[in-house]
Amino acid sequence: MKYFCLFLTILCFTSCKTETLNTNPDTYLSESDQKNFNYSIIRYTGRLAKKATHNTKFDNKFDDEYLALAEASNLAFYYPDAKTGELYFAITKIAPSLKLKKTATVGKLKKDASGNIVSYEEGFRTWKMEEPELLQKTELLFLKYIKGEDLTPYYTKNSQPEFYIEFPDENTYFDTKNRIWVSNISIGIK
């Protein structure tokens, strides 16, 4: 009887094991495809090109600048959801800092049969961090994001003294229609 109970316990642990999601971009995309993916979203995840506005950022005259931004970014995590057709991504880029630090932008999108982006949403952006810490925290958050879990415990107001998600926050949200981050705070500039 003792061995039977042990067998049932082992069976339960092995069969109750949760599915591990493979989020390694190399599993799904070649190096060239990863670069193309980065370029396809850099006008959203990157800063605006010099002299560009959100209305003009897709103009061909800015292609070289956006290509350079895409090449300086890295697709850290990627997951194509076969059930929904959504492509989840976490892209990192260098952030202004005295030491080398990066931020991560995590989101999801859908493409049509021609490869055009038909829906795009950024779920969150992280605080700038040194790369080992950034990758560790982003992986944790990325898996929660894919599974649709609540990320509010990782918002700055809830995560002290740790820093995870810079925004969204109580003042900043992602506008899915215009595909930009928007703040509801008016900044008085003199």
Side-chain angles (χ1 to χ4, degrees):
M1 183 68 175
K2 182 170 37 170
Y3 292 110
F4 181 71
C5 288
L6 180 63
F7 173 74
L8 284 178
T9 303
I10 292 171
L11 182 64
C12 181
F13 280 120
T14 57
S15 64
C16 296
K17 189 169 68 173
T18 58
E19 176 189 357
T20 304
L21 299 176
N22 184 347
T23 60
N24 183 344
D26 295 336
T27 303
Y28 307 103
L29 303 171
S30 68
E31 184 178 332
S32 173
D33 289 338
Q34 289 180 46
K35 288 180 180 183
N36 289 336
F37 183 84
N38 288 356
Y39 183 69
S40 75
I41 63 172
I42 197 65
R43 283 173 166 85
Y44 302 121
T45 60
R47 63 171 169 70
L48 283 174
K50 291 178 183 139
K51 299 185 180 181
T53 66
H54 286 293
N55 293 326
T56 64
K57 65 185 174 185
F58 288 97
D59 291 357
N60 292 342
K61 65 183 176 183
F62 302 118
D63 286 353
D64 289 342
E65 192 170 343
Y66 283 114
L67 183 59
L69 284 173
E71 288 176 357
S73 65
N74 180 51
L75 186 59
F77 302 103
Y78 181 85
Y79 180 73
D81 189 322
K83 293 177 186 172
T84 65
E86 291 175 313
L87 304 174
Y88 290 85
F89 63 88
I91 190 167
T92 64
K93 55 191 177 290
I94 296 174
S97 182
L98 295 175
K99 293 174 78 173
L100 179 60
K101 292 186 178 183
K102 294 184 174 186
T103 62
T105 301
V106 174
K108 61 185 176 180
L109 60 88
K110 278 189 179 182
K111 293 185 177 186
D112 63 17
S114 301
N116 299 310
I117 297 173
V118 294
S119 69
Y120 179 89
E121 178 181 2
E122 290 183 11
F124 63 90
R125 289 195 187 179
T126 67
W127 285 96
K128 58 185 170 184
M129 302 171 218
E130 292 183 38
E131 195 163 27
E133 178 185 13
L134 177 71
L135 293 176
Q136 179 184 20
K137 288 181 175 179
T138 301
E139 182 177 25
L140 167 83
L141 297 169
F142 187 69
L143 291 170
K144 289 182 175 298
Y145 181 66
I146 291 170
K147 295 174 185 176
E149 294 180 15
D150 181 20
L151 296 177
T152 56
Y154 300 94
Y155 290 8
T156 303
K157 70 178 185 177
N158 302 324
S159 68
Q160 298 298 319
E162 290 290 317
F163 290 93
Y164 291 87
I165 295 174
E166 182 175 14
F167 47 89
D169 61 19
E170 60 274 1
N171 300 310
T172 308
Y173 66 95
F174 191 77
D175 178 344
T176 55
K177 181 181 177 208
N178 294 307
R179 300 179 181 175
I180 58 171
W181 286 96
V182 177
S183 174
N184 57 20
I185 295 178
S186 298
I187 300 174
I189 300 175
K190 296 181 180 184

